[in-house]
Amino acid sequence: MALMDICADCAVRDQALCGSLDDRELSALNTLGQRRRVARGESVIWAGDESVICANLLSGVLKLVASTADGREQIVGLLYPADFVGQLYADQADFTITALTDAELCVFPRKAFERVLEDHARMEHLLLQRTLLALNEARGRMLTLARKSAEEKIAGFLLDMASRAGSSGCRATPDGPLTFDLPLNRGQIADVLGLTIETVSRQMTKLRNAGVIGLPGGRAVTIADRTGLAVRAEAG
Amino acid sequence: MALMDICADCAVRDQALCGSLDDRELSALNTLGQRRRVARGESVIWAGDESVICANLLSGVLKLVASTADGREQIVGLLYPADFVGQLYADQADFTITALTDAELCVFPRKAFERVLEDHARMEHLLLQRTLLALNEARGRMLTLARKSAEEKIAGFLLDMASRAGSSGCRATPDGPLTFDLPLNRGQIADVLGLTIETVSRQMTKLRNAGVIGLPGGRAVTIADRTGLAVRAEAG
DNA sequence: CGCATTCTTGATGTACCTCAACACTAGTGG
DNA sequence: CCACTAGTGTTGAGGTACATCAAGAATGCG
């Protein structure tokens, strides 16, 4: 049956909220869910619009953007595969959600998903735990945004991205040099860290000149001296 | 019975998470809960310590503080009566929680409270909704911290505090002058907004000189021109 | 009243922003 | 294969908002 197929070949079947459901329960969600591809740069949800959909992210990276009336922007969260997308129990969306890379979603009508949640305590419990984690992360980020220097912000960000890239590759050498591609361009990094493009660029070359990282070209970064980076992330 | 008494005279019985329980269910919590008074300045939970307790806040205001290794601090949240206090499903506390005013708590062992939550889907649901609200607020605050000017931060903060003070008093004149006491001193306001004491002070007197607010003395503030304040909160 | 704390105000410094030019990369079509 | 272009990243010069350092002034408590 076609409906079952969309979960059968789901790359995040076990990591996403759906992981809490058995095959029988999953079929209920199946009738609601719909696969959707979005291109890099395309928005999934606009701040201010009615909150009608939510989704599981299957592949790609999304950004969660808050902005002022006069157009200043701040990325308040990044969403990775298996993350839950959207605002439940809210009439309006507070943040704009846009694809940073081509991405694939499993989209649900918001209200219908909330109803499913009501009947599945384990799934709601998982969502609670994720939300608590996200809240802690957001609060940690408040400290970074408000109190850390540009150098500390960049160093911390690169460590974050490295651990994320490293975990998926499951490297044998946790302390050796690691090279990976950033999913964000300089402007987006600036939007994450509350800086400007120029400051991001300058700090990156400063770290390269210090021999702590390498910048082989494109969006690639190599972590040459992880402890050096960690030191700069903590005090500056 | 003495156990029942601690809920019977609870000031936040209906607003707190317990509001989701009927009298019978409440007695179960009763056997776990314990009233505790804390003095202004006293800490309830320390960052890095094992997360062994949680609580409902009955009266007073608490601050949630994140800090760097070298002592820079950021208040990442304020807790008011009926708010839930503590970190569930975590071994360690990530933030220090300290009383800004004398306060009263209804304290529970964390693990025991988690077990109660398991059996009471409605309470867990309430907690989820609160957590989602807190997450949205934290994300909004990220925009403020990273992208707004000192004037915008102060104006927005005063509007926040005014609406909080106004709502409890249930004023008849939403647009007339409103006077209230800030629960925070200048240093704490600075810690909330990611500024310094001096900048907070300067911006306050600037707003007073502009006729937008009055500073009658002590920690009192009067909102003289709410729309003027709102304008300054949005663009500056 | 006297002492400690908090708040205000001033002078100076600096980290980051802004504006501007240039270099690199990648994709397109001749 | 190489110009052509648009997007992205780098580097420089200069400005500014806020921090820092340093005195006083006001407040509040014993």
Side-chain angles (χ1 to χ4, degrees):
Chain A
M1 14 150 88
L3 288 176
M4 205 54 191
D5 285 344
I6 93 166
C7 289
D9 71 336
C10 177
V12 298
R13 164 84 171 79
D14 293 322
Q15 292 88 268
L17 290 180
C18 323
S20 61
L21 305 177
D22 58 34
D23 290 346
R24 188 182 51 76
E25 295 168 314
L26 208 54
S27 68
L29 257 197
N30 254 317
T31 64
L32 296 172
Q34 209 172 347
R35 286 275 179 102
R36 182 173 155 200
R37 294 180 166 282
V38 296
R40 185 162 89 75
E42 199 178 329
S43 288
V44 179
I45 291 173
W46 282 263
D49 277 13
E50 209 185 337
S51 176
V52 289
I53 61 155
C54 59
N56 280 317
L57 183 54
L58 304 181
S59 68
V61 184
L62 309 184
K63 65 174 177 179
L64 211 62
V65 176
S67 50
T68 60
D70 62 333
R72 284 168 286 174
E73 286 195 354
Q74 176 64 34
I75 296 182
V76 297
L78 293 175
L79 299 172
Y80 297 94
D83 281 350
F84 180 77
V85 181
Q87 249 177 285
L88 297 179
Y89 312 112
D91 294 335
Q92 276 198 349
D94 287 331
F95 308 106
T96 296
I97 300 179
T98 306
L100 291 177
T101 65
D102 290 348
E104 218 176 347
L105 299 162
C106 188
V107 180
F108 307 96
R110 193 202 97 209
K111 299 240 181 188
F113 190 86
E114 288 173 6
R115 259 174 264 125
V116 170
L117 223 41
E118 270 175 42
D119 296 335
H120 296 275
R122 197 179 309 138
M123 187 152 86
E124 184 164 272
H125 185 73
L126 267 187
L127 179 59
L128 173 61
Q129 295 205 331
R130 276 168 188 245
T131 308
L132 287 168
L133 282 178
L135 178 57
N136 267 21
E137 197 205 300
R139 284 174 167 163
R141 211 93 104 37
M142 287 171 63
L143 176 65
T144 298
L145 289 171
R147 300 294 181 190
K148 296 204 180 171
S149 69
E151 182 178 40
E152 288 172 299
K153 287 177 180 179
I154 294 287
F157 174 80
L158 289 177
L159 284 174
D160 268 13
M161 299 310 280
S163 75
R164 189 170 291 279
S167 70
S168 63
C170 223
R171 291 244 148 202
T173 53
D175 238 28
L178 168 69
T179 300
F180 61 96
D181 273 346
L182 295 172
L184 313 183
N185 65 26
R186 297 294 131 104
Q188 289 157 349
I189 296 173
D191 280 349
V192 169
L193 299 178
L195 299 169
T196 59
I197 294 178
E198 296 93 327
T199 300
V200 171
S201 185
R202 274 186 254 268
Q203 294 296 333
M204 297 274 270
T205 69
K206 201 170 127 201
L207 289 174
R208 174 173 54 73
N209 292 341
V212 176
I213 64 170
L215 297 171
R219 289 194 187 160
V221 179
T222 96
I223 309 293
D225 174 7
R226 190 178 225 107
T227 56
L229 207 52
V231 167
R232 278 156 223 264
E234 267 299 323
Chain B
M1 15 149 89
L3 288 176
M4 204 56 191
D5 285 343
I6 93 166
C7 289
D9 71 336
C10 177
V12 299
R13 165 83 170 80
D14 293 323
Q15 292 88 268
L17 290 180
C18 321
S20 62
L21 304 178
D22 59 34
D23 291 346
R24 188 182 51 77
E25 294 169 316
L26 207 54
S27 69
L29 257 197
N30 254 316
T31 64
L32 295 173
Q34 208 171 347
R35 287 275 179 101
R36 182 173 155 199
R37 295 180 165 283
V38 296
R40 182 161 91 75
E42 199 177 328
S43 288
V44 179
I45 291 173
W46 281 263
D49 277 12
E50 209 186 337
S51 177
V52 289
I53 61 154
C54 59
N56 280 316
L57 182 55
L58 304 181
S59 68
V61 184
L62 309 184
K63 66 174 178 179
L64 211 61
V65 177
S67 49
T68 60
D70 62 334
R72 284 167 286 173
E73 285 195 356
Q74 176 64 34
I75 295 181
V76 297
L78 293 174
L79 299 171
Y80 297 94
D83 280 350
F84 180 78
V85 181
Q87 248 177 284
L88 296 179
Y89 312 113
D91 294 333
Q92 277 199 348
D94 287 332
F95 308 107
T96 296
I97 300 179
T98 306
L100 291 176
T101 66
D102 290 348
E104 218 176 347
L105 299 162
C106 189
V107 180
F108 307 97
R110 193 203 97 208
K111 299 242 181 185
F113 191 85
E114 287 174 6
R115 259 175 262 124
V116 171
L117 222 42
E118 268 175 44
D119 296 335
H120 296 275
R122 197 180 307 137
M123 187 152 88
E124 184 166 270
H125 184 72
L126 267 186
L127 179 59
L128 172 60
Q129 296 204 331
R130 277 169 186 244
T131 307
L132 287 168
L133 281 178
L135 178 57
N136 268 21
E137 197 206 302
R139 285 174 167 163
R141 210 94 102 40
M142 286 170 65
L143 176 65
T144 299
L145 289 171
R147 299 296 182 189
K148 296 203 181 172
S149 68
E151 183 178 41
E152 289 173 298
K153 286 177 179 177
I154 294 287
F157 174 78
L158 290 176
L159 284 173
D160 267 14
M161 298 312 281
S163 75
R164 189 168 289 280
S167 70
S168 63
C170 222
R171 291 245 149 199
T173 53
D175 239 29
L178 167 69
T179 299
F180 60 96
D181 274 346
L182 295 172
L184 313 183
N185 65 27
R186 297 295 131 102
Q188 288 157 350
I189 296 174
D191 280 349
V192 168
L193 298 177
L195 299 170
T196 58
I197 294 180
E198 296 93 326
T199 301
V200 171
S201 185
R202 274 186 254 268
Q203 292 296 332
M204 297 275 269
T205 70
K206 199 170 127 200
L207 289 174
R208 174 173 54 73
N209 292 341
V212 176
I213 64 170
L215 297 171
R219 288 191 190 164
V221 178
T222 98
I223 308 295
D225 175 6
R226 191 180 223 104
T227 56
L229 207 52
V231 167
R232 278 157 222 264
E234 267 299 324

